[in-house]
Amino acid sequence: MTSMNALANLSPRARDLYNKMRDFVENECIPAEELYEQQLGTGAQRWATQPAVMETLKARARSLGLWNLFLPRDYPEGAGLTNLEYACIAELTGRSPSIAPEATNCAAPDTGNMEVLAKYGNPAQKKRWLEPLLDGTIRSAFAMTERNVASSDALNIETTIDRDGDEYVVRGHKYYISGVGHPALKLWIVLGTTRNPAQPKHRQHSIVLVPAGTPGIQIVRPCHVFGYDDANHGHFEVVFDNVRVPAHNALVLGEGRGFEVIQGRLGPGRIHHCCRALGMAERAMDMTVQRMRERGATFGRPLSEHGVIRKYLADSRMKLDQARLLVWYTADAIDRAGAKGALKEIAMIKVVVPNVACEVLDMAIQLFGAAGVSQDFVLAKFYAGLRTLRIADGPDEVHTQQLGRLELRRYDAIKAGKIPSKL
């Protein structure tokens, strides 16, 4: 498949799924957004309610075959799509980010957690946790970021996972952990250090599976994002206070393998985030075009005839389409070389796409005026989520530093006149 023309080259099955997803999102998910918010309710109810409309949409998505499409063809549990094919489809779910990803069982953090279990889990871990996650009957959280350290460098993580007889004891203070508020939360995937001085620094960390409800898990509070609570999944401050789990089947891959696991988790996850960001920006573009054509006139001419507005729209279109091509190129690179072979491309999209999407949303908000920052449209909430994405899964600065380092490694080849082929 040629990534530069991904939509035109979709396989017949992927094209059918793409068309079904487009219709499902536009005709069923977006119209359900207001009802979803109403059914969530207010106050504490928002953390104890699974809106009935979501369960209806989940059943509908399953009947259409739009379920678990995120797991690539390398996994027997997956839908058989390439990363590039799913990238095209995942963008559509971003047009309704609060509804479509969960309705199709393709929502973060579950997608990354399911991929961890599918890729690294043993049969018992898959049976207990992966199967119900794939079935959509439970939800999960991934606990990495911490309140008291700069967590963009995972070596700083202070949470400890200590062996005590036939148990592991987890102690730590986590921050902005997504998915904690969902009433179906059953599993925590926690990154911590197992503190083995005989191992190098990158073999000091481990991943432990902690069942929700285990004594010692203290939910401190939900953390807002620009004032939004993002219920019913949310982002929470959490303390693990001497949380004990049976050592048997508690760790993923074993002690000291945490970095290996999280790197395997984050590569495809960054593709998914970027695809949904493109979908959010595209919906904002559609809304802006419609408003500029229907809003009326200012200073003697229709809004759509003002040169500055046309320039805003043109600039946004150019940037957005360039970002999409980079995402497709990256997805194709993962298909060809795996996530480890596409580190540079993954880092690039993680910087480029959220920045471009933020610029598009900023433009849309500006042209909507006061309505753009109101609760009457999705633009302000979309912007809050997209701006957060410049921090989540590694801030821009970490990825640009990595990119610069990779570029400098080309020095010897350039000096020797060995210019690598782009083919």
Side-chain angles (χ1 to χ4, degrees):
M1 181 174 288
T2 303
S3 62
M4 294 298 288
N5 197 16
L7 288 175
N9 289 283
L10 287 176
S11 67
R13 177 170 177 268
R15 182 176 297 277
D16 179 61
L17 290 171
Y18 179 90
N19 290 330
K20 286 180 177 179
M21 185 68 81
R22 180 192 59 206
D23 293 342
F24 177 65
V25 172
E26 296 301 312
N27 300 324
E28 301 187 53
C29 294
I30 292 176
E33 289 173 349
E34 185 175 351
L35 177 59
Y36 177 84
E37 284 296 322
Q38 291 174 356
Q39 291 181 346
L40 270 179
T42 59
Q45 179 187 348
R46 293 171 65 78
W47 305 114
T49 301
Q50 173 68 336
V53 66
M54 179 61 76
E55 295 305 305
T56 299
L57 289 169
K58 286 168 67 175
R60 174 65 171 156
R62 295 187 79 148
S63 72
L64 293 169
L66 303 175
W67 192 258
N68 291 334
L69 299 182
F70 70 95
L71 266 181
R73 58 186 178 183
D74 302 335
Y75 298 98
E77 302 92 347
L81 299 175
T82 66
N83 284 286
L84 180 53
E85 289 172 332
Y86 179 64
C88 298
I89 296 169
E91 179 179 331
L92 298 172
T93 69
R95 295 178 65 88
S96 181
S98 62
I99 301 288
E102 183 178 351
T104 57
N105 213 38
C106 293
D110 293 322
T111 48
N113 293 341
M114 284 187 271
E115 191 148 3
V116 162
L117 292 165
K119 187 173 184 177
Y120 302 112
N122 63 38
Q125 292 167 340
K126 290 183 179 182
K127 180 69 176 178
R128 183 176 182 184
W129 300 119
L130 179 59
E131 289 185 10
L133 281 167
L134 288 169
D135 194 47
T137 54
I138 69 171
R139 299 295 304 272
S140 59
F142 182 75
M144 176 177 170
T145 302
E146 298 189 358
R147 181 175 178 86
N148 299 320
V149 298
S151 305
S152 57
D153 181 354
L155 289 173
N156 291 331
I157 296 299
E158 293 181 335
T159 294
T160 57
I161 304 169
D162 295 323
R163 185 70 182 254
D164 183 16
D166 59 357
E167 294 180 315
Y168 280 103
V169 184
V170 185
R171 303 177 181 91
H173 193 163
K174 298 293 187 178
Y175 194 48
Y176 269 90
I177 307 306
S178 299
V180 175
H182 200 285
L185 175 72
K186 298 298 181 183
L187 170 67
W188 300 77
I189 298 184
V190 183
L191 176 69
T193 174
T194 35
R195 298 189 288 189
N196 185 347
Q199 293 293 332
K201 61 182 181 179
H202 287 96
R203 294 295 301 271
Q204 297 284 333
H205 294 74
S206 303
I207 294 287
V208 63
L209 305 178
V210 180
T214 301
I217 301 176
Q218 300 175 5
I219 309 300
V220 179
R221 57 169 180 156
C223 303
H224 289 180
V225 177
F226 289 102
Y228 294 101
D229 64 4
D230 286 347
N232 59 2
H233 62 283
H235 319 279
F236 282 69
E237 183 177 354
V238 183
V239 171
F240 291 85
D241 183 12
N242 293 306
V243 175
R244 291 180 172 270
V245 293
H248 182 63
N249 286 327
L251 298 186
V252 178
L253 283 186
E255 290 190 10
R257 306 288 294 276
F259 276 24
E260 178 183 348
V261 173
I262 62 172
Q263 286 306 311
R265 181 186 189 277
L266 291 175
R270 286 167 179 155
I271 283 275
H272 303 164
H273 277 311
C274 289
C275 292
R276 290 189 290 266
L278 291 172
M280 295 163 74
E282 276 292 348
R283 184 172 170 193
M285 283 288 291
D286 291 350
M287 292 171 62
T288 306
V289 168
Q290 182 175 356
R291 190 168 178 89
M292 293 304 98
R293 291 300 300 268
E294 297 176 356
R295 186 63 172 167
T298 60
F299 305 105
R301 67 174 64 180
L303 283 169
S304 60
E305 292 184 9
H306 284 281
V308 66
I309 287 176
R310 292 182 174 182
K311 176 172 172 52
Y312 285 170
L313 292 170
D315 287 345
S316 295
R317 172 52 58 202
M318 289 186 284
K319 293 175 182 177
L320 192 51
D321 284 1
Q322 290 174 61
R324 177 179 295 104
L325 289 173
L326 185 57
V327 169
W328 287 351
Y329 178 78
T330 302
D332 188 55
I334 294 177
D335 285 329
R336 289 183 286 105
K340 287 185 178 179
L343 290 177
K344 182 173 72 174
E345 291 80 5
I346 292 170
M348 286 193 290
I349 63 168
K350 184 56 180 63
V351 176
V352 169
V353 174
N355 276 276
V356 166
C358 279
E359 291 177 16
V360 172
L361 263 294
D362 186 74
M363 176 276 301
I365 289 169
Q366 187 71 18
L367 295 188
F368 265 68
V373 298
S374 75
Q375 70 271 39
D376 297 332
F377 295 92
V378 297
L379 298 177
K381 188 172 185 179
F382 276 18
Y383 182 85
L386 291 169
R387 183 59 185 84
T388 305
L389 190 55
R390 291 187 54 201
I391 302 170
D393 279 1
D396 292 357
E397 292 76 12
V398 169
H399 296 294
T400 53
Q401 179 178 332
Q402 180 187 33
L403 277 168
R405 185 168 59 249
L406 291 172
E407 281 297 298
L408 288 168
R409 286 178 184 174
R410 300 193 304 116
Y411 170 76
D412 290 338
I414 294 171
K415 187 73 172 178
K418 299 177 180 179
I419 307 302
S421 171
K422 295 293 185 181
L423 298 178

